[in-house]
Amino acid sequence: MLNYDIVVVGGGPAGMAAAIKAKECGTDSILILERAETLGGILEQCIHTGFGLHYFGEELSGPEYADRFIEKINTLSIEYKTDTMVLDISGDNTVTAVNSTDGLLEIKAKAVILAMGCRERPRGALNTAGTRCSGIMSAGTAQKFVNIDGYMPGKKVVILGSGDIGLIMARRMTLEGAEVKCVCELMPYSSGLTRNIVQCLDDFNIPLHLSCTVTRIHGSERLEGVTIAKVDENRRPIKESEQFIECDTLLLSVGLIPENELTRAAGIEIDPVTGGAIVNESRQTTQAGVFACGNVLHVHDLVDYVTLESYTAGEGAAKYAQGKIANEKYAVTKGRGAVRYIVPQRVNLNCGEDVKLYFRVGDVFKNASVVVKCAGNEILRRKKIRLAPGEMESVTVKNETLCTMSEGDTIEISVEV
Amino acid sequence: MIYDIAVIGAGVVGSLISMQLSQYNLKTVLIEKGNDVAVGTSKANSAIVHAGFDAKPGSLKAKLNVEGTAKMPELCKRLHVPFKLTGSLVVAFSPEQRKTVEELYARGIENGVEEMEIIEQDRLREIEPQINEVACCALLAKTAGIVCPYELTVAAAETAVINGVKFERNFKVDKIDYNGSVFTVSAGEKNINAKYVINCAGIYSGKIAEMIGDDSIRIISRKGEYMLLDKTMGSLANTVIFQCPSDMGKGILVTPTVDGNLLLGPSSIDVDSYDDVSTNSDVLDSVLEAAKLSVPCVNTRNVITSFAGLRSHPATGDFIIGASKKNPAFINVAGIESPGLSASPAIAEYVEKIMLDILGNVEKKEDFIPTRKAPVHFRNMTNEERKALIEKDKRYGTIVCRCETVTQGEILDAIHSPIPATDVDSVKRRTRAGMGRCQGGFCGSKVAQLIAEEHGIPLDEVTKFGGGSRLLVGKTK
């Protein structure tokens, strides 16, 4: 049995930032466990730029963004093991992991930081009718084949879903000489960043069909084409609008799912909307000493925001490992109406600092107001020109306000049109 | 080279027959049109071992079902194939259906099915807490179970191969000639000669028989579509839950799988095509609706994949097993629809007897190896077992498939198994890599890479399931 103050599960942007912050907060014994061959996580295959604009104020590629943190991990002498898969986290924060050099590892930790990231929703989850030929893969898998392995998944491409990875891959495949016929998006709006729609689709004349989906997959061995159709307001395909598009590749960018198998197995409570753990303001889950950050907690728009959230979790875990634990007196956060979710889901009223609440809306709004109520009293009303599901919003609740609240009170966020 | 026996079709039936015959000093070849065993109906079915009360009393189906089901637990144990004795329920959802349940019970008794009883609401709810509250009674059959059909097929075929049977893949039979003593089975330019042919071509068995002028076998292609739900849903059913049967089959069932997923289906629609295993959204919708009658809380939120299989429904309604009227050296094993999987161990022994009768005096091998090596399943091991395994071979310390916890060692074992896995789906069937909730999103490229390296081919020649099902089309610029 090994002993560490903090074990970080995952060495992507979230895990690295959390480990760095924890170290800077005075915790020395930290171990990062990463399942891939290198640190960096999914950033390593994101060779496009656009990372770091918010956090570093400059435009970096994915690997460049990751490198800044990898360097820091090395400078701070934070220990890590790659090619190492965590199998289990027990109720007393013992982490079981496996790799080919150490075999089976059992590590007792004071605090654990969950930073496993997310995965892409696969074709099967869409229940799309048709054959099960080759040529269908998630956009991220295609991205790995192209950017890491140097192989092309196909030549004539349809992309289903306008998530950012799908948009990025539309451009990437075009640059590599493939013909991207269109991007179909089920919703009447794209969930991708506006800058990606402009730079990845508009600049290359790739059509984006909104309220449109793939209804059938054709091809016995390799994909030969897809049927696409418009959908009605209930997202049901309109038969009369069906249209066959010849293609040899269908890339899916239809949503990301936080990878919380370990979290669930540990019995940690999950928010059914985010798919991530229920956490407090320091990103501590319902299991004492277990923290979560990054896309395993909820899917972020930008890696810059992952970094910031992970600093919060790293600081929280360091304090916990050092035994600096505030008395717990919780208020819960609650999204009303169009507010789909809020992270954190609960706030310790004794935390002694201002708390930033992150939230996402379920529809597009123009000129709407974000209203925050604490224990029924309106404490904030802010006009927003635009709110969209693809863009995370935030509000801050002051410590003074928290101090006036009682255990079990609600902090409510709503959108008024 | 003249083989004694050519078995056409490496589904569960052809593979078990080949294994059965590999006990003898016979030269046998197992011929398959696909790139692996278990690529037709044997990989896309309900994976149920039926108790045996469905088939018409006195039919070959009824006899071989009951016998096969009795043999299944022992056979699976021997071959290291997952099998669970879950029991099955045929549920009556209205007072009128009670009559059907009683009829099935009576038919079961006539067929020699043991351990059946009709249970009432309370007991039913105890066994299946999620069952629809309108359910009023059910036939409980304790001998029924669930099995992994493709793993059974792989295990049988591999046991055959380690006992000397030759496996010929990508051999799509298009012509069979007979010179009076030897058949020449052809696929384009390729020929295989054999003294006897056993036709286990499943949905194509009628067409194969026609190649020797036997047009007596009429197979109707009856499609069944399924949905597979995530393991978090696996506990919604503890047994195989049937609804009352109709002329078109046993109705929509809700069942756990041996791997802990939940399976809904199958639909039952006659189709013209013998190879169209595409799914249809309206059919899948109707499967879900029907499944809700049994377990109202099932929904599509946790679907991880949907698929279809084709039943080879014989026009006669019964299994067709025996020498062809056109040629006594040509044995038909046709029309093996449900409960074909359950019956398959008994079918194999039945055919073994037929062959021994024809061949007369054949010797058993002294060095027959009754099973393949047990495959490593890291996910099912205790931590102590895992520790010991990695100490012996560190390749089992690298996890490739996260969702199903499959190690590199297991994937390499599959690639180098007695019937080597040469495509991604073959690795998946043997190891479950890519069968979890991400459906190969993360591990697919690693599996493809291992196949390429181990078989010495470029990455862009790796296929999903052989033929033209390439994953990649070439290098980047």
Side-chain angles (χ1 to χ4, degrees):
Chain A
M1 178 88 76
L2 300 170
N3 277 286
Y4 281 88
D5 284 343
I6 298 177
V7 169
V8 183
V9 185
M16 291 196 292
I20 288 166
K21 190 61 164 188
K23 184 89 178 188
E24 288 172 350
C25 290
T27 302
D28 268 332
S29 126
I30 300 172
L31 176 65
I32 302 174
L33 301 174
E34 166 56 43
R35 59 190 162 199
E37 290 153 23
T38 56
L39 291 176
I42 212 70
L43 286 174
E44 295 299 319
Q45 68 182 51
C46 302
I47 61 170
H48 55 282
T49 59
F51 301 94
L53 279 169
H54 287 252
Y55 184 64
F56 290 114
E58 52 186 310
E59 200 167 5
L60 305 172
S61 70
E64 284 170 338
Y65 189 94
D67 271 350
R68 301 215 169 174
F69 292 84
I70 295 172
E71 267 172 37
K72 202 143 193 198
I73 295 276
N74 290 327
T75 317
L76 293 170
S77 305
I78 296 173
E79 285 178 62
Y80 60 87
K81 289 179 186 291
T82 53
D83 276 319
T84 304
M85 179 84 184
V86 172
L87 301 173
D88 179 64
I89 299 162
S90 74
D92 68 346
N93 299 345
T94 301
V95 176
T96 309
V98 64
N99 67 29
S100 56
T101 39
D102 304 294
L104 207 76
L105 290 157
E106 279 178 293
I107 310 153
K108 179 84 188 74
K110 287 180 186 155
V112 176
I113 299 172
L114 305 175
M116 293 88 80
C118 58
R119 63 163 174 267
E120 298 175 281
R121 192 184 293 279
R123 178 221 167 158
L126 304 176
N127 224 6
T128 309
T131 55
R132 301 206 300 160
C133 48
S134 72
I136 305 163
M137 62 180 81
S138 66
T141 306
Q143 189 178 45
K144 178 171 182 297
F145 275 128
V146 175
N147 292 350
I148 306 284
D149 302 326
Y151 283 90
M152 283 295 280
K155 289 182 178 137
K156 290 180 197 166
V157 186
V158 168
I159 298 177
L160 175 60
S162 61
D164 287 311
I165 315 169
L167 300 176
I168 294 291
M169 282 313 291
R171 177 174 64 186
R172 189 79 188 98
M173 295 293 283
T174 308
L175 292 174
E176 285 295 340
E179 181 194 354
V180 178
K181 299 221 164 169
C182 63
V183 176
C184 299
E185 169 59 56
L186 182 68
M187 304 303 286
Y189 49 81
S190 166
S191 60
L193 296 171
T194 311
R195 72 170 193 223
N196 282 338
I197 292 175
V198 174
Q199 293 169 10
C200 299
L201 299 187
D202 298 354
D203 288 359
F204 296 90
N205 294 320
I206 298 168
L208 169 63
H209 301 311
L210 297 172
S211 297
C212 177
T213 192
V214 169
T215 55
R216 195 165 181 86
I217 286 159
H218 307 264
S220 53
E221 294 183 330
R222 177 83 195 191
L223 184 68
E224 290 158 18
V226 295
T227 302
I228 66 168
K230 282 279 190 196
V231 296
D232 62 21
E233 60 274 20
N234 299 315
R235 296 185 226 160
R236 298 290 298 184
I238 302 164
K239 192 99 189 140
E240 299 70 41
S241 70
E242 282 191 341
Q243 180 190 348
F244 177 81
I245 298 185
E246 190 206 337
C247 59
D248 66 0
T249 306
L250 174 65
L251 298 186
L252 303 174
S253 178
V254 288
L256 297 168
I257 306 166
E259 279 215 293
N260 275 299
E261 279 63 44
L262 283 172
T263 322
R264 273 196 199 90
I268 291 167
E269 239 180 284
I270 301 281
D271 180 333
V273 182
T274 58
I278 289 177
V279 292
N280 70 8
E281 71 291 340
S282 63
R283 303 300 182 268
Q284 183 172 204
T285 67
T286 53
Q287 178 164 324
V290 177
F291 295 75
C293 55
N295 281 354
V296 78
L297 187 56
H298 59 131
V299 177
H300 294 63
D301 308 336
L302 298 174
V303 70
D304 308 58
Y305 300 153
V306 166
T307 300
L308 293 175
E309 177 174 81
S310 305
Y311 284 159
T312 306
E315 189 182 341
K319 280 186 185 161
Y320 185 91
Q322 291 157 16
K324 297 179 199 158
I325 305 160
N327 282 332
E328 292 178 345
K329 189 173 98 178
Y330 280 112
V332 292
T333 62
K334 197 168 172 52
R336 281 251 177 253
V339 176
R340 282 188 62 231
Y341 74 77
I342 303 173
V343 171
Q345 290 83 351
R346 43 195 215 142
V347 175
N348 186 359
L349 300 172
N350 293 334
C351 66
E353 41 192 52
D354 298 351
V355 171
K356 203 166 181 181
L357 303 178
Y358 294 86
F359 66 96
R360 221 178 258 285
V361 292
D363 207 344
V364 178
F365 294 94
K366 282 186 180 146
N367 296 318
S369 296
V370 172
V371 180
V372 183
K373 287 181 184 169
C374 285
N377 305 314
E378 183 174 317
I379 59 145
L380 193 127
R381 176 177 286 266
R382 192 189 297 152
K383 199 94 178 146
K384 295 288 289 186
I385 297 169
R386 185 185 139 90
L387 290 164
E391 276 155 52
M392 191 147 62
E393 300 290 335
S394 68
V395 291
T396 301
V397 180
K398 296 266 184 224
N399 185 37
E400 303 90 276
T401 313
L402 296 178
C403 289
T404 65
M405 295 177 69
S406 321
E407 181 147 29
D409 277 352
T410 303
I411 305 172
E412 190 184 291
I413 305 178
S414 57
V415 174
E416 286 180 16
V417 188
Chain B
M1 164 89 176
I2 298 172
Y3 287 100
D4 293 310
I5 299 168
V7 178
I8 300 176
V12 69
V13 171
S15 297
L16 278 167
I17 290 173
S18 299
M19 180 182 83
Q20 210 59 30
L21 294 174
S22 72
Q23 298 175 83
Y24 300 93
N25 280 318
L26 292 167
K27 291 196 289 281
T28 305
V29 59
L30 175 59
I31 297 170
E32 168 55 46
K33 74 170 168 21
N35 194 37
D36 191 21
V37 303
V39 294
T41 306
S42 297
K43 79 162 162 115
N45 56 71
S46 307
I48 306 293
V49 180
H50 296 275
F53 48 74
D54 291 287
K56 206 168 114 195
S59 63
L60 195 54
K61 240 185 199 178
K63 171 183 145 69
L64 295 175
N65 182 174
V66 175
E67 286 176 19
T69 296
K71 291 175 197 297
M72 194 64 89
E74 194 52 41
L75 177 68
C76 287
K77 205 170 149 197
R78 185 183 113 198
L79 295 177
H80 313 289
V81 171
F83 168 83
K84 275 184 200 157
L85 194 67
T86 53
S88 69
L89 293 166
V90 181
V91 182
F93 293 101
S94 66
E96 301 83 64
Q97 288 186 340
R98 178 182 289 271
K99 225 184 101 213
T100 312
V101 165
E102 284 165 356
E103 280 166 14
L104 288 174
Y105 178 80
R107 211 191 295 169
I109 297 288
E110 221 180 322
N111 287 350
V113 180
E114 293 172 358
E115 294 187 71
M116 289 186 303
E117 59 178 300
I118 293 177
I119 58 170
E120 299 302 320
Q121 258 194 8
D122 296 359
R123 185 77 197 291
L124 176 57
R125 219 164 298 287
E126 242 170 63
I127 299 173
E128 294 293 359
Q130 303 295 332
I131 199 92
N132 192 336
E133 55 185 22
V134 302
C136 43
C137 72
L139 172 61
L140 169 66
K142 292 184 184 160
T143 56
I146 51 178
V147 67
C148 180
Y150 42 84
E151 206 163 337
L152 177 60
T153 309
V154 169
E158 292 197 340
T159 306
V161 165
I162 59 177
N163 286 293
V165 171
K166 176 92 170 73
F167 177 60
E168 278 289 346
R169 64 179 98 196
N170 299 314
F171 196 104
K172 187 174 181 180
V173 177
D174 53 24
K175 197 168 72 153
I176 302 173
D177 291 322
Y178 191 61
N179 69 4
S181 61
V182 174
F183 290 99
T184 300
V185 181
S186 310
E189 299 297 302
K190 297 184 283 185
N191 297 312
I192 287 172
N193 299 314
K195 292 177 202 158
Y196 300 90
V197 168
I198 304 176
N199 171 16
C200 307
I203 194 90
Y204 288 96
S205 50
K207 292 202 188 295
I208 294 290
E210 280 171 20
M211 291 181 194
I212 64 148
D214 179 351
D215 53 10
S216 68
I217 296 171
R218 258 195 63 220
I219 302 294
I220 296 151
S221 178
R222 186 167 283 177
K223 194 191 272 191
E225 299 187 25
Y226 294 88
M227 275 183 273
L228 187 71
L229 273 58
D230 189 83
K231 286 181 178 179
T232 50
M233 299 288 113
S235 57
L236 291 183
N238 299 309
T239 61
V240 181
I241 307 175
F242 294 103
Q243 299 172 1
C244 285
S246 73
D247 292 344
M248 286 298 278
K250 299 183 188 74
I252 299 295
L253 58 88
V254 176
T255 178
T257 69
V258 285
D259 299 295
N261 298 82
L262 193 74
L263 184 65
L264 313 180
S267 58
S268 186
I269 295 170
D270 290 349
V271 293
D272 293 328
S273 166
Y274 279 24
D275 56 10
D276 172 16
V277 286
S278 63
T279 53
N280 297 280
S281 47
D282 49 339
V283 176
L284 290 175
D285 288 348
S286 69
V287 165
L288 179 72
E289 276 317 302
K292 278 183 172 168
L293 174 62
S294 299
V295 179
C297 64
V298 294
N299 61 65
T300 51
R301 267 194 67 173
N302 293 290
V303 171
I304 57 174
T305 192
S306 47
F307 61 89
L310 299 172
R311 304 171 182 84
S312 40
H313 175 65
T316 58
D318 202 359
F319 293 163
I320 303 158
I321 306 178
S324 164
K325 292 208 171 63
K326 289 283 174 191
N327 189 334
F330 188 96
I331 315 299
N332 285 311
V333 186
I336 313 295
E337 62 176 342
S338 177
L341 174 63
S342 321
S344 59
I347 293 172
E349 291 188 17
Y350 189 83
V351 174
E352 176 192 358
K353 280 197 200 83
I354 291 176
M355 290 316 297
L356 292 180
D357 284 346
I358 296 176
L359 294 163
N361 216 357
V362 284
E363 276 171 32
K364 273 204 170 182
K365 284 176 194 158
E366 280 171 18
D367 55 353
F368 175 71
I369 305 158
T371 183
R372 61 172 180 162
K373 207 174 113 207
V376 169
H377 291 308
F378 187 86
R379 66 182 170 277
N380 298 333
M381 292 180 154
T382 64
N383 281 346
E384 279 63 39
E385 290 168 336
R386 289 168 172 172
K387 238 177 233 171
L389 178 70
I390 301 165
E391 263 165 38
K392 264 203 340 229
D393 187 341
K394 67 185 178 99
R395 299 174 311 166
Y396 295 105
T398 304
I399 307 284
V400 174
C401 168
R402 308 166 178 184
C403 303
E404 296 288 318
T405 324
V406 182
T407 64
Q408 187 172 355
E410 289 164 83
I411 290 164
L412 293 172
D413 287 347
I415 293 172
H416 297 294
S417 68
I419 296 179
T422 60
D423 59 45
V424 174
D425 283 358
S426 300
V427 169
K428 178 165 143 181
R429 277 190 294 278
R430 283 166 182 72
T431 65
R432 289 193 65 75
M435 231 173 238
R437 36 184 85 90
C438 93
Q439 293 280 296
F442 284 117
C443 67
S445 67
K446 182 73 193 168
V447 170
Q449 231 169 42
L450 289 171
I451 292 172
E453 280 166 19
E454 297 298 312
H455 289 304
I457 55 171
L459 188 61
D460 56 350
E461 279 180 24
V462 176
T463 63
K464 186 170 186 290
F465 49 82
S469 68
R470 280 194 188 186
L471 301 178
L472 302 164
V473 297
K475 296 210 166 170
T476 49
K477 278 183 182 173

